[in-house]
Amino acid sequence: MEIKLSPSILAADFWRLGDHISEVERAGAPYIHIDVMDGVFVPNLSFGLTVIESIRKHTDIVFDVHLMITRPERFIERFAAAGADIITFHAEATDMAGECIDLIRSCGKRAGIAISPGTAATAVMPYIDTADMILCMTVEPGYGGQKYMKEIEKKVSAIRSEAGEKLDIQVDGGITKDNIIRPVKAGANVIVAGTSVFSGDIQKNIKELTEKCEQL
């Protein structure tokens, strides 16, 4: 499967956000990852609808929007209208997972469902035929710069074994050029990287991360 890099702008310099997104595009990354935090499901706050609407006007890159919010069903249509291309919500944040997937797809967007490190892979197995992507968090959601949890690789492998190649499996958290091969070998094909992209030379960092994956 094609490996896709999704640089997380949570780690970007917000003063230079437009420039950083342009650099990501020039480096050939197909996605940007946009974390939306509500201060309830996770302790922090981050980007909202107005930021997505603003940057959507200036780029056609795929917006990979990760909703870390309670009851995401309340906002799916608004994020779709704001310019999201992929909308991923957390299984732990709603009791309407199937309805959320249907609503995202009815908006013409790709639907993702995420699980935190403490949630078993069985929580998303019922959705492998309806979701477009499953996200396995490799850190606790809500903070950047955490250490990669290699034990999540077993979860990735279990989902890939069950799903085959019919959907994307994303990993998010603590990914560096030194460990990116691990989740890819386990079966992940969409890789979120924040600090390891936006610290230093963005285009060089993306090139190095991509080349690591191409060595497989």
Side-chain angles (χ1 to χ4, degrees):
M1 297 183 70
E2 180 187 2
I3 308 302
K4 304 165 190 172
L5 191 65
S6 187
S8 173
I9 60 171
L10 190 64
D13 179 349
F14 297 165
W15 177 252
R16 300 184 57 224
L17 184 57
D19 292 337
H20 280 191
I21 291 171
S22 294
E23 287 190 62
V24 167
E25 288 187 280
R26 286 195 293 271
Y31 299 169
I32 59 168
H33 189 81
I34 305 173
D35 288 307
V36 178
M37 305 180 194
D38 65 357
V40 179
F41 180 70
V42 293
N44 283 339
L45 294 167
S46 66
F47 307 103
L49 289 159
T50 55
V51 173
I52 294 172
E53 290 169 344
S54 177
I55 59 178
R56 178 79 289 171
K57 297 172 185 176
H58 302 285
T59 178
D60 293 324
I61 197 169
V62 172
F63 283 8
D64 171 23
V65 176
H66 178 192
L67 301 181
M68 287 179 269
I69 64 175
T70 57
R71 295 175 56 211
E73 59 273 10
R74 296 174 297 159
F75 292 100
I76 283 169
E77 291 173 301
R78 293 175 67 184
F79 278 103
D85 297 295
I86 305 168
I87 301 175
T88 299
F89 64 93
H90 271 261
E92 305 92 350
T94 181
D95 57 5
M96 300 175 61
E99 291 90 339
C100 285
I101 290 171
D102 291 343
L103 182 55
I104 294 166
R105 299 190 79 176
S106 74
C107 292
K109 310 300 180 178
R110 283 180 275 170
I113 180 167
I115 47 176
S116 298
T119 302
T122 52
V124 292
M125 291 302 189
Y127 308 107
I128 61 174
D129 292 323
T130 52
D132 298 290
M133 184 170 73
I134 291 173
L135 164 56
C136 293
M137 292 297 299
T138 45
V139 298
E140 293 295 339
Y143 297 95
Q146 296 181 66
K147 186 177 179 181
Y148 172 79
M149 297 179 176
K150 63 183 180 181
E151 59 269 26
I152 306 303
E153 293 161 16
K154 293 180 181 178
K155 194 183 301 186
V156 172
S157 295
I159 296 168
R160 178 59 73 201
S161 178
E162 185 70 21
E165 296 190 358
K166 64 185 173 185
L167 86 169
D168 289 330
I169 298 178
Q170 184 176 70
V171 288
D172 179 2
I175 306 294
T176 71
K177 64 182 179 181
D178 295 321
N179 64 22
I180 192 170
I181 293 298
R182 296 188 63 104
V184 172
K185 283 184 175 179
N189 70 301
V190 183
I191 312 298
V192 177
T195 304
S196 58
V197 167
F198 291 104
S199 294
D201 187 326
I202 293 170
Q203 294 191 55
K204 178 175 179 287
N205 291 338
I206 290 174
K207 182 174 184 290
E208 289 179 349
L209 289 164
T210 302
E211 287 176 347
K212 283 283 186 178
C213 295
E214 291 173 349
Q215 292 173 11
L216 287 177

